[in-house]
Amino acid sequence: MIIEEIMNRDIHTLGPSNTVKDAIKIMREKKIRHIPIVDEEEKIVGIITAHDLKNILPSTIKDDLNLTTYETTLENIMVKNPLIGHPLDFIEEVALTLYESKISCLPIVSGGRLVGIVTTTDLLYTYIELTGANKPSSKIDIRVTDKPGILSDITEIFKKHHANVLSVLVYPSADCKKNKIVSVRVQVINPLSIIEDLRKEGFDVLWPNLPGVDGP
């Protein structure tokens, strides 16, 4: 999946000459936490986040009777030349950029023009959708030996039960490098019969560990 498919195209921007007060107003009205700062040619020159504003604002209005902080222009506090992404970037690449750079959003630029923005919240929700965790379903974790064809053997059992598989995740087992954990989310509320057949075929079902169901 590419970023173009999930990026927010309804972007609220400000200019470098706008003030902290302007940024606060937009964030409150639009319920957003990130504002790209663009120049007269609509090219991104900076970014302001709710965290940036929190760091410079007084704890109460009484702490700053002149309210000079609220009139500070954004060019003086914005993060200049922020990292940017492209609409055709892969989601996992953008997620890695956000994680490694310890930032919470990425402006998306195409042809030098700001076309969207992606936040960590967007990526988290996309992960939830991709795994099917937002749908009525069951998750089955199976420890397997890492060998060719093992995934096909597992899916054959799900096929036998006419179970709709929403997602399959494969990750290393903590106990042995030769093992993998196959995590299957299936659109079945009661997966007991599937688990029984998996165990009959010698698969080590880790979760759910249902009472009354013996392991292999």
Side-chain angles (χ1 to χ4, degrees), residues 11-30 32-49 53 70 72-75 77-79 114 117:
I11 320 164
H12 302 283
T13 64
L14 288 173
S17 60
N18 283 109
T19 65
V20 167
K21 183 179 179 180
D22 297 328
I24 295 173
K25 183 173 184 292
I26 286 186
M27 285 187 182
R28 287 177 176 172
E29 288 180 353
K30 304 301 180 181
I32 57 177
R33 298 183 297 115
H34 312 85
I35 302 177
I37 310 302
V38 298
D39 62 15
E40 295 177 354
E41 298 178 351
E42 295 299 313
K43 292 183 178 181
I44 186 162
V45 294
I47 196 159
I48 288 290
T49 71
L53 296 179
Y70 296 91
T72 301
T73 55
L74 298 180
E75 63 183 343
I77 62 169
M78 68 184 185
V79 175
L114 181 68
I117 189 170

Side-chain angles (χ1 to χ4, degrees), residues 45-121:
V45 294
I47 196 159
I48 288 290
T49 71
H51 182 71
D52 297 329
L53 296 179
K54 182 179 179 181
N55 285 340
I56 68 164
L57 288 175
S59 57
T60 66
I61 292 180
K62 291 181 179 179
D63 291 333
D64 192 4
L65 294 178
N66 294 322
L67 302 180
T68 54
T69 301
Y70 296 91
E71 299 304 323
T72 301
T73 55
L74 298 180
E75 63 183 343
N76 291 318
I77 62 169
M78 68 184 185
V79 175
K80 299 179 180 178
N81 301 315
L83 293 174
I84 59 173
H86 187 274
L88 299 182
D89 287 342
F90 290 112
I91 286 178
E92 56 267 34
E93 294 173 348
V94 170
L96 184 61
T97 296
L98 293 178
Y99 174 76
E100 292 183 339
S101 303
K102 294 180 174 58
I103 55 178
S104 57
C105 72
L106 196 69
I108 307 301
V109 174
S110 179
R113 185 172 62 90
L114 181 68
V115 295
I117 189 170
V118 170
T119 69
T120 51
T121 301

Side-chain angles (χ1 to χ4, degrees), residues 136-138 186-192:
S137 57
S138 299
V186 60
Q187 205 162 15
V188 172
I189 300 302
N190 183 0
L192 182 58

